[in-house]
Amino acid sequence: MSKAGTVAATSALHLLEQYREGSSFFWSSPQHTLLAQGEQIRWSAMEGLEGNTSDSMGAVRVTEQRRDEATQLFINRMEQLMEKARRLGQTKPIVVGAIPFDLVHSSAELFVPEKIQWAEPLSPNSRALVEKRPAAVGCEVREEPAGAVFQQSVNNVLMDLNQGDLHKVVLSRTLHVTSQTFVDTHQLLRNLFRDNTHGYTFAVPMTKIYPSKCDITTDKRANTEPEKETHRTYIGASPELLVTRKGSKVRANPLAGSAARSEDPAEDRRRAEALLASAKDRHEHAVVIEAVAEALRPLCKHLTIPAEPSLVQTRTMWHLSTDIHGELANRGTSSLELACALHPTPAICGTPVKAAREAIREQEPFERGLFTGMVGWCDSGGDGEWAVTIRCAEVEGRTLKLFAGAGIVAGSTAEAELAETSAKFGTMLLAMGLDPSVSSMKEE
């Protein structure tokens, strides 16, 4: 074995317990569990783009041609990263981490690890053996934007939809959570792993940002524990597979059209059946499926696409789902290239993509960063898995920033979309040990 490489497979629970905040990448999918430790090579951000234009307000706008060029440059740089790892002694290097929603405005968090370990997936019954405890204590919650502001943004988009400029826009909002104690990121990961049995649970170590002196907090809440080194971690449990490649086989599983679940079994089933029958949600889903198929067709010999969507469930949500399978036309096409060809899908951006992206930048008061990007891994042979980065949060010290979004189409209402984002926050809030209702109680 080379200095950096794969070690013998072990159990998923063992990998979960070996996780260390700040130095480990954890990934659990229906196929396997992966723990990557240590950084042999860390991705460094690309230089700024040229050829940008500014709008009348002076905001930087990026041409679609430059976006395409940036994506190709990114893929080329990843291939160079793999080659550098080979020169350093790795026989089959792997890149792990997360890629942002917009490579132009945010940086990827990717690295070649020093050691990787694999394990078989764990059954739901075995996951129940993981002890669940609160990951944060005495939390305060603040919305950004406030619920009323988010609803106004939805109404702004609906006006554009009625004018025919757009077909769909995905708008998101955040919750800023401050804990009295340091967030137990390892316990948060355990809780997510335990409760999300069919999706993609992940934890990504992020590059540390050192605060300036003026950023140092004087909040008395921050003095309840001795100071210790903090790490930035992007963590979550996504229900949505963007794409996976194994040899020549390709699979994508887009989700679009959602409904909150109910604790009452009869009401829960009614909501599921209503979602499956909803003309609005089925149209939203069909738009996403066609976009995914259009992106994959040039890269595949054939695609198999079910005629009707099915239902998938998480602990908090129902989703319309379509499982798409294909065979690569060129075995040299990597999972990363497939992921970049698909991203961003209408499920997390909208359609047409260019107009939807502009609407997002106009309406959302924050940079998405890794949210609605992609998280996963790709090896030097091109195999890999990439999930859509949703149901997630950025954790650092005593703070968490949670993200949730909703697709706005004709027939949407501001009240319903606000409620949908509140329900989607539930995955992370439950994992933290908080009441999910706090997502609709606090305003700025």
Side-chain angles (χ1 to χ4, degrees), residues 303-339:
L303 290 176
T304 301
I305 306 174
E308 296 287 326
S310 59
L311 287 168
V312 298
Q313 65 189 58
T314 68
R315 184 176 176 184
T316 60
M317 302 294 298
W318 286 104
H319 298 284
L320 293 181
S321 163
T322 295
D323 209 1
I324 299 173
H325 292 263
E327 183 177 357
L328 281 178
N330 181 352
R331 285 285 295 268
T333 305
S334 71
S335 65
L336 179 61
E337 290 174 285
L338 290 166

Side-chain angles (χ1 to χ4, degrees), residues 279-295:
K280 177 186 101 53
D281 288 292
R282 289 177 72 96
H283 170 70
E284 180 182 349
H285 189 79
V287 168
V288 174
I289 300 310
E290 179 52 38
V292 170
E294 183 179 351

Side-chain angles (χ1 to χ4, degrees), residues 81-392:
L81 203 68
M82 292 279 200
E83 182 56 36
K84 183 176 181 180
R86 290 190 191 94
R87 292 198 302 269
L88 292 173
Q90 291 220 33
T91 56
K92 192 177 181 181
I94 180 174
V95 169
V96 300
I99 299 168
F101 170 70
D102 190 342
L103 270 170
V104 173
H105 296 100
S106 302
S107 180
E109 296 284 352
L110 297 164
F111 65 97
V112 176
E114 294 178 340
K115 182 176 74 171
I116 59 174
Q117 299 178 74
W118 297 95
E120 293 298 314
L122 205 61
S123 69
N125 288 339
S126 297
R127 287 179 187 243
L129 299 174
V130 177
E131 182 183 4
K132 186 171 183 179
R133 294 185 287 106
V137 177
C139 294
E140 292 182 355
V141 181
R142 175 177 61 85
E143 289 181 320
E144 183 190 12
V149 176
F150 178 79
Q151 290 185 80
Q152 183 57 56
S153 294
V154 172
N155 287 328
N156 293 342
V157 168
L158 286 171
M159 290 179 61
D160 290 336
L161 291 174
N162 292 333
Q163 294 171 5
D165 299 329
L166 289 167
H167 303 298
K168 176 181 178 180
V169 176
V170 178
L171 291 182
S172 59
R173 64 191 188 103
T174 68
L175 291 182
H176 296 260
V177 181
T178 304
S179 172
Q180 288 182 348
T181 59
F182 284 99
V183 177
D184 188 338
T185 305
H186 197 173
Q187 186 61 46
L188 183 58
L189 180 62
R190 292 187 186 101
N191 296 345
L192 288 166
F193 179 81
R194 180 184 187 275
D195 290 343
N196 297 275
T197 56
H198 302 296
Y200 302 83
T201 301
F202 58 88
V204 181
M206 301 177 70
T207 305
K208 186 171 179 59
I209 298 176
Y210 292 94
S212 62
K213 290 182 179 179
C214 62
D215 292 329
I216 297 175
T217 181
T218 57
D219 188 348
K220 293 181 180 179
R221 293 166 56 88
N223 296 322
T224 58
E225 275 189 296
E227 287 304 317
K228 67 177 182 179
E229 182 182 7
T230 61
H231 303 279
R232 295 172 69 220
T233 304
Y234 214 84
I235 189 169
S238 174
E240 185 170 4
L241 173 69
L242 180 63
V243 70
T244 181
R245 196 210 92 162
K246 186 175 183 180
S248 63
K249 303 301 181 183
V250 175
R251 176 176 172 246
N253 186 202
L255 308 181
S258 306
R261 299 196 63 185
S262 171
E263 294 183 0
D264 176 74
E267 172 62 16
D268 191 47
R269 175 48 55 185
R270 188 199 68 77
R271 293 183 184 184
E273 292 172 351
L275 175 63
L276 196 57
S278 166
K280 177 186 101 53
D281 288 292
R282 289 177 72 96
H283 170 70
E284 180 182 349
H285 189 79
V287 168
V288 174
I289 300 310
E290 179 52 38
V292 170
E294 183 179 351
L296 288 178
R297 283 190 185 105
L299 303 172
C300 294
K301 293 179 181 178
H302 61 80
L303 290 176
T304 301
I305 306 174
E308 296 287 326
S310 59
L311 287 168
V312 298
Q313 65 189 58
T314 68
R315 184 176 176 184
T316 60
M317 302 294 298
W318 286 104
H319 298 284
L320 293 181
S321 163
T322 295
D323 209 1
I324 299 173
H325 292 263
E327 183 177 357
L328 281 178
N330 181 352
R331 285 285 295 268
T333 305
S334 71
S335 65
L336 179 61
E337 290 174 285
L338 290 166
C340 288
L342 287 167
H343 180 77
T345 73
I348 50 86
C349 179
T351 184
V353 169
K354 179 181 178 181
R357 204 194 311 259
E358 290 177 355
I360 289 168
R361 291 197 65 79
E362 289 172 0
Q363 300 297 332
E364 291 184 356
F366 54 86
E367 286 290 343
R368 289 190 177 186
L370 298 180
F371 174 59
T372 62
M374 40 194 164
V375 59
W377 60 274
C378 180
D379 68 22
S380 58
D383 286 347
E385 295 175 293
W386 296 95
V388 181
T389 317
I390 53 178
R391 312 295 189 274
C392 53

